[in-house]
Amino acid sequence: MPTTKRSNPSVPAKAASKLFSTIKGGVLAPLGFVGGVAACGIKNGKATRDDLALIASTTLSAAAGTFTTNKVKAAPVLVSMENIRNGFATGVILNSGNANACTGEEGLTVAWGMAEAAAGHLDASKEDVLVCSTGRIGVQLPLDRVKKGLDGMQLFRKVGTQLAKSIMTSDTFPKEIALAVKTPQGTFRIGAMAKGAGMIDPTMATMLCVVTCDAEVSSVTLRKTLRKVVENSFNRITVDGDMSTNDTVIMLANGRSGVNPDESILEAAMEHVCVALARIIVLDGEGVSKFVEIEVRGANTAKDAKLAAEAVANSTLVKCAWAGNDPNWGRIMDALGYSGAKMEEARTSIDYGGLPIVRQGVLAPTPWSKLRAVAAGKQFRITIDLGYGVYAHEVWTTDLTEEYVRLNLGE
């Protein structure tokens, strides 16, 4: 059989991973980054938990970002897209409790106001501050509460986990990671935090993520590498198939380590961090009881592989079957058939946890009890071979439970 061509990389990631070691500190692990949090009561006026975060570099950083492709973009997304255009930034201000989306001109004024207030706190220009918001859509964000929170905020080195907690919404735990990366030139560090649990779908899920790095990287390299890494991490996850208005991934690299790493090593480190956070987001999905890896191989084109994998991963029927511990392969075949990918029933084979369930379009002789045992697991892998070509794609998804419905009934 020909070698499978995957739309995800990568030999460099596996080889370079030997250079990584996990360290503490989260998004503030790299040199030259500080942060602070505040309880502002942004959602309802009750300052009972931290809901504002500020991350800053002590020097101007190379900056890159990827943003939602939804035609409805929140005000902070528009501000960040504008400010990151020149490839540099000093800091990022983030809030939970209010998405500042679908809020018109007033919302845009507020987002610029957040950038300006944070810039004043950092003695920087508002054009060098990026803005992220998460929470309910269609509600005006109270800028006065943000400013009050900033007034009393102090910036420290060791508050990484507090920063990650402050941007949680329906998340059940803070999501963060940090690595030390050894290179022939020396060691650099990369850290990150993220939030996300619902409205998760490929092409940027409903999530916020900030990645920091103390390596020397040009803005051009950072932009190119981040786009590639996001495609292979956050753009491979889905919980409910809904794309948000606020999706943002931002990366800052300030060069404080003095290490200018090989591009392949930088990419591998970034991918390791982003893949880890992407998988954690799915594991913490709203109402989730299962983590499911969908791999489509044998596709005629890379596009076909992606279409097929995403159709299965987002199928409500398939996800409900998983919630009931049912390895319902008919629903998978159905999703493949409408996916838009080139496929024929008689060419298609499917495995559940490595066990054959379909061969050339018909039921395989594997005992049903063994297949049900796989589907009853908290984590399993489904492999689909379309029998056409050498292209493959992988998506990480979940089941769909009653708890998800309860969580999304609204207030």
Side-chain angles (χ1 to χ4, degrees), residues 38-206:
C40 305
I42 289 173
K43 184 175 182 179
N44 54 18
K46 299 177 182 179
T48 55
R49 62 175 289 265
D50 292 334
D51 54 4
L52 184 71
L54 182 60
I55 300 168
S57 171
T58 53
T59 56
L60 190 65
S61 298
T66 62
F67 304 92
T68 181
T69 57
N70 197 320
K71 291 182 179 179
V72 180
K73 291 179 172 59
V77 170
L78 297 175
V79 169
S80 293
M81 290 176 71
E82 176 66 25
N83 282 355
I84 210 166
R85 211 179 293 275
N86 68 359
F88 295 94
T90 295
V92 187
I93 184 170
L94 310 92
N95 75 271
S96 59
N98 189 309
N100 194 9
C102 300
T103 47
E105 287 299 320
E106 182 179 345
L108 196 58
T109 299
V110 168
W112 277 113
M114 288 178 64
E116 187 171 21
H121 201 67
L122 299 174
D123 193 23
S125 165
K126 69 177 182 180
E127 287 78 18
D128 290 330
V129 176
L130 309 175
V131 185
C132 297
S133 299
T134 183
R136 195 173 182 89
I137 293 172
V139 180
Q140 294 295 342
L141 195 156
L143 181 59
D144 58 331
R145 296 176 194 170
V146 172
K147 290 181 175 179
K148 185 177 180 180
L150 283 170
D151 286 342
M153 183 185 290
Q154 292 183 290
L155 302 180
F156 300 98
R157 279 279 297 149
K158 297 183 178 181
V159 291
T161 300
Q162 289 172 254
L163 291 166
K165 286 181 178 179
S166 71
I167 60 171
M168 291 168 52
T169 50
S170 56
D171 306 65
T172 63
F173 58 84
K175 301 168 175 68
E176 61 178 352
I177 185 174
L179 301 176
V181 185
K182 292 182 179 180
T183 76
Q185 294 80 30
T187 298
F188 72 90
R189 287 145 288 272
I190 181 169
M193 70 176 191
K195 65 82 51 184
M199 286 183 77
I200 302 290
D201 186 51
T203 319
M204 288 300 302
T206 184

Side-chain angles (χ1 to χ4, degrees), residues 185-254:
Q185 294 80 30
T187 298
F188 72 90
R189 287 145 288 272
I190 181 169
M193 70 176 191
K195 65 82 51 184
M199 286 183 77
I200 302 290
D201 186 51
T203 319
M204 288 300 302
T206 184
M207 44 152 297
L208 304 180
C209 177
V210 177
V211 185
T212 57
C213 182
D214 57 21
E216 292 182 351
V217 187
S218 72
S219 296
V220 173
T221 297
L222 196 66
R223 185 182 302 115
K224 178 182 69 173
T225 306
L226 183 64
R227 286 176 179 170
K228 187 185 299 184
V229 166
V230 166
E231 185 62 30
N232 296 318
S233 56
F234 298 118
N235 281 353
R236 293 180 181 274
I237 62 177
T238 181
V239 170
D240 47 22
D242 274 298
M243 184 192 301
S244 174
T245 56
N246 291 59
D247 310 331
T248 302
V249 177
I250 288 167
M251 183 165 181
L252 306 178
N254 64 12

